[in-house]
């Protein structure tokens, strides 16, 4: 169904509309048999991605979602039944509540300091989001937290296999080859879970994932899909952090990533939550790792 212009259709405000998660939400709503008006937030309506969404019927607005711009945000929230947000936090929660938004859909994630009992305290990009989730719970604003799994897209970007001297390829990591992680093809599938949150009332925690897979089977999937010799190689903490800092990444950021991987391996990306119910009621099945490998372009990576 195309995006509606009918004022009687529910208005959905999508923050970060041109990003992977935001654009996935818009696509999933376009595929629904229900009509929606969609208003997308972006920092620059002149960019090609923004213009494409405008051509599809999305009302694109240039708003910097900062505390200083709360009045502008509140104006764009007025009349909205649903808001999807992934990064900006407490001000947007306050604006949504003030605008009487029916449902605030948030892209949060688990607190690893809490999950690990204080063992891993440097995964701040996870923990800050959990602070917003707790703020939402205390606010009284109706919400659903649609937590995204680890992105499949990472494995054709910064976590891609690297060519070795003997012509084979290796993926390096600090966790065991048997360690597991939930994966999602974010741009293709994350919106399915947000659509479910909007259309099917249920729990306020949804775990957006396609499957849970081990590191060695991530590598095996690349082998099976491309025919290339790819292995997963576990390396020690010092080598992992050293490799990141050698690429110009600040040491504190490298430590944060080390603790992220270790905490996920030990305590689970989503903790001990039952993930099965999150896959029930989706408009279609999300793409598996094998399917992602098949449709991805590996020509510049595995050459």
């Amino acid at each position: 169904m195309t995006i509606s212009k009918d004022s009687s259709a529910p208005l959905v405000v999508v923050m970060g509309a041109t990003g992977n998660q935001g654009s996935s939400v818009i696509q999933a709503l376009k595929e629904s048999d229900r009509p929606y008006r969609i208003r997308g937030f972006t920092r620059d309506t002149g960019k090609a991605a923004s213009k494409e969404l405008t051509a599809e019927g999305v009302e694109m607005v240039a708003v910097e979602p900062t505390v200083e711009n709360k009045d502008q945000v509140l104006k764009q929230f007025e009349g909205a039944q649903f808001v999807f947000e992934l990064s900006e936090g407490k001000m947007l929660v306050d604006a949504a509540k003030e605008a009487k938004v029916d449902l605030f859909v948030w892209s949060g994630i688990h607190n690893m300091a809490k999950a690990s009992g204080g063992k891993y305290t440097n995964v701040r990009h996870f923990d800050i989001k959990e602070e917003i989730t707790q703020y939402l719970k205390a606010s009284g604003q109706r919400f659903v937290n649609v937590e995204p799994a680890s992105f499949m897209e990472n494995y054709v970007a910064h976590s891609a296999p690297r060519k070795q001297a003997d012509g084979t390829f290796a993926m390096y990591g600090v966790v065991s080859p048997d360690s597991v992680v939930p994966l999602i093809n974010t741009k293709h599938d994350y919106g399915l879970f947000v659509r479910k949150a909007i259309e099917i009332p249920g729990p306020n925690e949804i775990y957006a994932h396609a499957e849970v897979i081990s590191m060695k089977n991530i590598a095996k999937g690349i082998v099976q899909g491309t025919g290339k010799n790819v292995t997963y190689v576990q390396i020690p903490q010092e080598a992992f952090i050293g490799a990141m800092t050698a690429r110009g990444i600040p040491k504190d950021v490298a430590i944060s990533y080390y603790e992220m991987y270790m905490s996920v391996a030990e305590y689970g990306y989503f903790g001990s939550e039952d993930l099965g119910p999150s896959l029930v009621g989706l408009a279609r099945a999300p793409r598996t790792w094998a399917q992602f490998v098949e449709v991805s372009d590996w020509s510049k990576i595995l050459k």
Side-chain angles (χ1 to χ4, degrees):
M1 178 175 287
T2 57
I3 297 168
S4 178
K5 295 294 185 182
D6 190 330
S7 61
S8 66
L11 173 61
V12 183
V13 175
V14 178
M15 314 298 294
T18 60
N20 281 349
Q21 287 178 257
S23 61
S24 181
V25 170
I26 291 172
Q27 182 60 38
L29 295 177
K30 282 174 57 183
E31 293 171 358
S32 177
D33 57 359
R34 303 185 188 185
Y36 293 103
R37 291 178 293 144
I38 301 177
R39 179 176 295 154
F41 274 36
T42 183
R43 288 178 170 82
D44 184 358
T45 55
K47 287 187 175 180
S50 180
K51 289 181 178 179
E52 288 175 10
L53 289 173
T54 299
E56 293 173 6
V58 178
E59 179 194 354
M60 296 298 292
V61 293
V63 178
E64 189 79 21
T66 60
V67 173
E68 294 78 14
N69 290 338
K70 181 183 176 182
D71 288 344
Q72 292 183 49
V73 172
L74 179 59
K75 181 179 178 181
Q76 299 301 335
F77 277 9
E78 288 176 353
Q81 282 73 41
F82 308 103
V83 168
F84 168 72
E85 151 63 4
L86 68 156
S87 63
E88 301 299 340
K90 296 179 181 179
M91 181 275 290
L92 295 177
V93 175
D94 294 340
K97 188 174 182 182
E98 191 172 340
K100 296 182 171 55
V101 169
D102 290 347
L103 181 67
F104 189 94
V105 183
W106 161 242
S107 174
I109 204 157
H110 271 49
N111 181 313
M112 287 305 180
K114 182 178 178 180
S116 68
K119 182 177 181 179
Y120 297 110
T121 59
N122 292 300
V123 195
R124 287 297 294 157
H125 56 296
F126 276 36
D127 297 349
I128 288 171
K129 284 206 161 194
E130 172 66 11
E131 292 171 11
I132 305 303
T133 302
Q134 295 304 318
Y135 187 81
L136 260 169
K137 290 179 178 179
S139 73
Q141 168 66 48
R142 180 170 168 256
F143 78 99
V144 176
N145 180 16
V146 181
E147 297 192 28
S150 185
F151 300 169
M152 292 182 186
E153 290 90 336
N154 291 344
Y155 295 98
V156 291
H158 56 79
S159 296
R162 296 172 182 268
K163 194 168 188 176
Q164 307 302 294
D166 63 359
T168 64
F169 297 87
M171 299 168 56
Y172 294 98
V174 291
V175 299
S176 160
D178 293 313
S179 295
V180 298
V181 63
L183 294 181
I184 185 170
N185 186 178
T186 316
K187 188 165 186 176
H188 188 259
D189 295 324
Y190 178 78
L192 291 172
F193 296 85
V194 175
R195 177 178 162 187
K196 173 183 172 178
I198 290 173
E199 296 184 349
I200 305 175
N204 67 355
E205 293 281 348
I206 295 177
Y207 306 102
H209 74 292
E211 63 181 310
V212 179
I213 186 170
S214 67
M215 300 307 299
K216 67 181 180 184
N217 283 335
I218 289 175
K220 183 178 179 181
I222 300 174
V223 174
Q224 293 174 334
T226 67
K228 299 292 186 177
N229 188 338
V230 180
T231 56
Y232 174 81
V233 179
Q234 184 179 6
I235 59 176
Q237 174 184 355
E238 297 78 10
F240 177 83
I241 293 175
M244 293 192 77
T245 55
R247 289 157 52 194
I249 297 171
K251 187 173 182 179
D252 61 328
V253 175
I255 292 171
S256 175
Y257 274 92
Y258 165 76
E259 291 199 3
M260 176 189 72
Y261 289 119
M262 295 303 296
S263 60
V264 167
E266 292 180 39
Y267 300 98
Y269 190 95
F270 294 126
S272 58
E273 301 293 344
D274 180 5
L275 306 186
S278 293
L279 295 171
V280 176
L282 297 176
R284 57 173 170 78
R287 185 176 276 166
T288 65
W289 173 243
Q291 291 168 335
F292 176 82
V293 172
E294 184 179 352
V295 301
S296 296
D297 182 4
W298 298 90
S299 61
K300 294 181 179 179
I301 300 169
L302 304 177
K303 64 178 181 178

